[in-house]
């Protein structure tokens, strides 16, 4: 499943803040919208209650006839008067509003108006029988024209129809328009959300960049870390980041000091061991027995190679040679020719020019160790090269007895030999595979072992291409 969140820490932080803010603003918009809708309903119902209460007072003072006719006997025609009917104007198919009915009844009771029943319904369009009994339309238009407003009036989102039954059984019916006082509420809330995002996220983005830049520099320095040779990183960013970079620089300095001490110690060890070995070899030359002399010389040579492998392995992290583009095929061919010249059965199938950024001297030594093991324990070595888009595999196959799979990793430990196929009669220090893997891993690759189906062992050296 593809990850939806960014991979970087700063990206995830910004995404989390943005999502949280979006959820909070969505809840806020919903609550504000519902509040605005309730406010419109309250305004319309209050207008209807006020108009019915006023009409009830006029009826109580003047009676029904005085309410409906002028003094000269002509009928009164006013759109905002409640109609008087024998039954409620609310049909069974209209949407009743029980909560509004309850609040309206309570309001009439608080005003001391005694009503038999109160019914309230919500409709989208004004019924034909209510066209002359509606409030909330004409007066507002006249008020807007009086103050010079030329824009469109507030939109009507529907009507509340309120019917109240008075003491004698007659019903007073009034319709009240539900006006949208803020037709652009949603647009306003969305614009508010965008402004909040800008106000909040821009400083967070700046802070994230201020944190990520030194962290990226620290990550790059850690990836390219060379003990004692890395330059100190500039301390920048927030205090916590500066403290982390300072700790890294301090660690780099301590590691460099330890490496320098180790190099001095290794130099002393190499001098103190090689000097007596050289003197011993000179003395061996005076031994009369040729066979005994050759065995002693071979033993000294084996000790010298072991010492050289140990020193090379210990100094690997402080190699003075710099990596540079190298023709891998030419390098392999050179090493294979060295063994062929010594009478060993080594073959190499060249597959064209392949370039990798390596330290040639170290990779040459790693190849020698793998090829040397193959010809020593497997009679012959066959070298092949496989290339992918970003990887280079150098396979060294032999025809020996192979190694048990559960012993593969153990073979890379210093001074470890396979009990059956690797014995002291064949010579060697037991550091060849250890040194080869250390060299290749120092280049960002690895060395792996695998038994071949047709018999023998395959040692694969993996390198990253340019």
């Amino acid at each position: 499943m593809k990850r939806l969140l960014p991979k970087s820490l700063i990206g995830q932080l910004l995404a989390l803040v943005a999502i949280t803010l979006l959820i909070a603003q969505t809840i806020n918009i919903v609550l504000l919208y519902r509040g605005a809708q309730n406010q419109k309903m309250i305004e319309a119902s209050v207008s209807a209650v006020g108009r019915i209460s006023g009409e009830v007072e006029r009826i109580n003072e003047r009676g029904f006839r005085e309410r409906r006719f002028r003094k000269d006997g002509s009928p009164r025609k006013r759109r905002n008067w409640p109609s008087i009917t024998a039954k409620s104007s609310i049909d069974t198919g209209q949407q009743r509003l029980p909560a509004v009915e309850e609040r309206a009844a309570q309001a009439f009771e608080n005003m001391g108006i005694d009503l038999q029943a109160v019914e309230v319904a919500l409709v989208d369009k004004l019924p034909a029988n209510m066209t002359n009994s509606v409030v909330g339309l004409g007066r507002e238009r006249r008020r807007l024209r009086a103050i010079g407003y030329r824009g469109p009036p507030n939109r009507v989102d529907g009507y509340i129809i309120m019917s109240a039954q008075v003491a004698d059984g007659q019903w007073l019916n009034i319709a009240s328009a539900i006006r949208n006082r803020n037709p652009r509420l949603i647009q306003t809330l969305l614009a508010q959300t965008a402004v909040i995002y800008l106000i909040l996220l821009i400083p967070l983005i700046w802070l994230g960049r201020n944190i990520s830049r030194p962290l990226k520099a620290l990550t790059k320095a850690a990836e390219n870390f060379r003990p004692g040779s890395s330059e100190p990183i500039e301390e920048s960013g927030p205090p916590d980041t500066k403290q982390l970079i300072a700790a890294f620089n301090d660690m780099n300095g301590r590691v460099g000091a330890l490496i320098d001490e180790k190099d001095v110690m290794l130099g002393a060890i190499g001098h103190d061991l090689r000097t007596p070995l050289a003197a011993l070899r000179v003395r061996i030359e005076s031994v009369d027995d040729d066979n005994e002399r050759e065995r002693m010389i071979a033993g000294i040579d084996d000790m010298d190679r072991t010492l050289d492998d140990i020193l090379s392995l210990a100094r690997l992290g402080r190699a003075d040679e710099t990596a540079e583009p190298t023709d891998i095929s030419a390098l392999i061919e050179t090493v294979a020719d060295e063994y062929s010249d010594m009478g060993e059965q080594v073959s190499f199938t060249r597959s064209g020019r392949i370039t990798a950024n390596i330290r040639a001297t170290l990779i040459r030594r790693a190849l020698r160790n793998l090829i040397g093991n193959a010809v020593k324990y497997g009679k012959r070595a066959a070298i092949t090269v496989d290339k992918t888009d970003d990887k280079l595999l150098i396979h060294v196959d032999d025809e020996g007895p192979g190694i048990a799979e559960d012993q593969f990793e153990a073979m890379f430990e210093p001074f470890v030999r396979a009990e059956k196929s690797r014995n002291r009669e064949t010579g060697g220090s037991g550091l060849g595979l250890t040194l080869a893997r250390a060299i290749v891993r120092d280049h960002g690759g690895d060395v792996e072992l695998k038994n071949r189906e047709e018999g023998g062992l395959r040692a694969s050296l993996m390198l990253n291409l340019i």
Side-chain angles (χ1 to χ4, degrees):
M1 179 178 176
K2 187 178 179 180
R3 294 181 57 183
L4 298 179
L5 289 176
K7 294 182 179 180
S8 65
L9 174 63
I10 302 303
Q12 291 183 7
L13 176 62
L14 292 176
L16 183 61
V17 172
I19 292 172
T20 304
L21 182 59
L22 178 62
I23 294 173
Q25 278 299 104
T26 301
I27 295 173
N28 183 44
I29 290 174
V30 171
L31 294 177
L32 288 176
Y33 180 77
R34 293 181 61 181
Q37 295 297 103
N38 291 335
Q39 182 64 28
K40 291 189 296 184
M41 296 289 292
I42 292 172
E43 290 178 357
S45 60
V46 167
S47 297
V49 168
R51 190 52 53 92
I52 288 179
S53 63
E55 190 65 20
V56 170
E57 291 180 357
R58 282 193 292 271
I59 292 173
N60 291 336
E61 292 177 1
R62 304 176 185 178
F64 283 101
R65 183 173 181 81
E66 291 297 328
R67 176 255 184 226
R68 303 190 66 177
F69 295 93
R70 296 187 180 95
K71 292 181 180 180
D72 59 4
S74 61
R76 296 177 181 269
K77 294 181 180 180
R78 298 182 63 180
R79 291 175 57 88
N80 54 3
W81 277 22
S83 63
I84 300 175
T85 58
K87 64 176 183 178
S88 173
S89 295
I90 296 177
D91 298 333
T92 56
Q94 295 172 343
Q95 180 183 353
R96 296 283 294 273
L97 303 175
V100 179
E101 291 176 353
E102 183 178 351
R103 290 197 298 267
Q106 184 64 44
F108 286 126
E109 182 180 349
N110 293 339
M111 290 185 290
I113 299 175
D114 185 18
L115 298 176
Q116 300 296 319
V118 177
E119 296 181 357
V120 180
L122 175 65
V123 295
D124 295 330
K125 295 182 179 180
L126 188 66
N129 62 343
M130 299 297 298
T131 55
N132 292 324
S133 300
V134 58
V135 295
L137 292 178
R139 181 175 299 177
E140 182 173 359
R141 290 192 181 97
R142 291 194 297 271
R143 186 185 309 117
L144 292 173
R145 287 196 295 268
I147 63 176
Y149 180 76
R150 293 294 181 264
N154 294 332
R155 187 179 71 245
V156 176
D157 289 340
Y159 298 87
I160 282 181
I161 299 177
M162 184 175 293
S163 295
Q165 188 179 31
V166 295
D168 63 353
Q170 298 285 346
W171 288 83
L172 300 179
N173 309 289
I174 190 72
S176 180
I178 302 175
R179 307 308 299 265
N180 189 351
R181 304 296 181 184
N182 188 0
R184 297 184 178 181
L185 176 63
I186 298 299
Q187 295 90 327
T188 302
L189 292 176
L190 291 177
Q192 179 191 56
T193 302
V195 171
I196 292 176
Y197 264 98
L198 292 176
I199 293 176
L200 183 61
L201 291 183
I202 288 178
L204 284 178
I205 292 173
W206 175 83
L207 178 61
R209 291 176 61 86
N210 193 34
I211 295 175
S212 63
R213 277 196 298 266
L215 287 180
K216 287 180 180 178
L218 180 61
T219 302
K220 184 176 181 180
E223 291 174 347
N224 301 326
F225 179 69
R226 297 292 175 189
S229 61
S230 300
E231 294 294 330
I233 307 172
E234 180 184 358
E235 298 178 13
S236 59
D240 292 345
T241 307
K242 290 182 178 180
Q243 187 176 4
L244 176 61
I245 295 175
F248 179 84
N249 290 335
D250 185 53
M251 179 196 70
N252 185 26
R254 292 197 304 270
V255 171
L258 291 174
I259 293 295
D260 291 338
E261 293 178 3
K262 185 196 72 170
D263 288 344
V264 173
M265 180 186 66
L266 290 175
I269 291 175
H271 178 269
D272 292 345
L273 291 180
R274 281 199 169 99
T275 298
L277 285 175
L280 184 60
R281 181 159 185 164
V282 172
R283 292 183 182 180
I284 289 174
E285 295 296 336
S286 61
V287 176
D288 296 332
D289 191 328
D290 294 339
N291 293 332
E292 188 68 21
R293 184 173 63 252
E294 291 299 327
R295 284 198 297 269
M296 291 181 179
I297 292 175
I300 292 175
D301 289 341
D302 186 51
M303 292 176 63
D304 192 61
R305 286 193 298 269
T306 300
L307 178 62
D308 187 52
D309 286 343
I310 293 174
L311 294 177
S312 297
L313 184 63
R315 289 171 175 164
L316 187 60
R318 290 291 292 271
D320 295 331
E321 183 182 4
T322 58
E324 57 184 15
T326 304
D327 185 351
I328 298 297
S329 297
L331 186 146
I332 297 173
E333 192 171 35
T334 300
V335 177
D337 290 343
E338 292 176 0
Y339 280 91
S340 297
D341 293 341
M342 292 186 294
E344 304 290 352
Q345 299 185 46
V346 178
S347 62
F348 169 54
T349 303
R350 190 180 180 104
S351 57
R353 181 182 176 87
I354 302 174
T355 303
N357 201 43
I358 61 171
R359 293 192 289 276
T361 301
L362 292 177
I363 294 298
R364 186 180 293 111
R365 180 158 193 169
L367 280 173
R368 284 172 179 161
N369 288 352
L370 297 181
I371 296 172
N373 283 343
V375 297
K376 189 181 299 181
Y377 308 118
K379 300 179 181 179
R380 66 183 64 196
I383 308 170
T384 56
V385 177
D386 289 335
K387 177 185 176 184
T388 61
D389 292 337
D390 58 347
K391 296 289 183 183
L392 176 67
L393 298 176
I394 303 174
H395 304 299
V396 180
D397 300 334
D398 65 32
E399 298 180 0
I403 301 174
E405 292 186 2
D406 59 355
Q407 295 294 315
F408 284 163
E409 287 301 317
M411 295 307 302
F412 291 100
E413 296 295 328
F415 309 111
V416 173
R417 301 167 180 265
E419 294 179 359
K420 295 181 180 180
S421 62
R422 305 321 198 215
N423 53 68
R424 289 190 178 275
E425 293 180 359
T426 60
S429 63
L431 290 172
L433 287 176
T434 304
L435 183 58
R437 172 175 271 189
I439 290 172
V440 177
R441 284 185 171 178
D442 192 52
H443 284 73
D446 204 352
V447 175
E448 292 183 352
L449 302 178
K450 181 181 179 181
N451 287 320
R452 302 167 61 209
E453 294 182 359
E454 60 271 28
L457 183 71
R458 164 169 285 188
S460 298
L461 187 154
M462 295 177 289
L463 290 173
N464 296 320
L465 293 174
I466 295 177

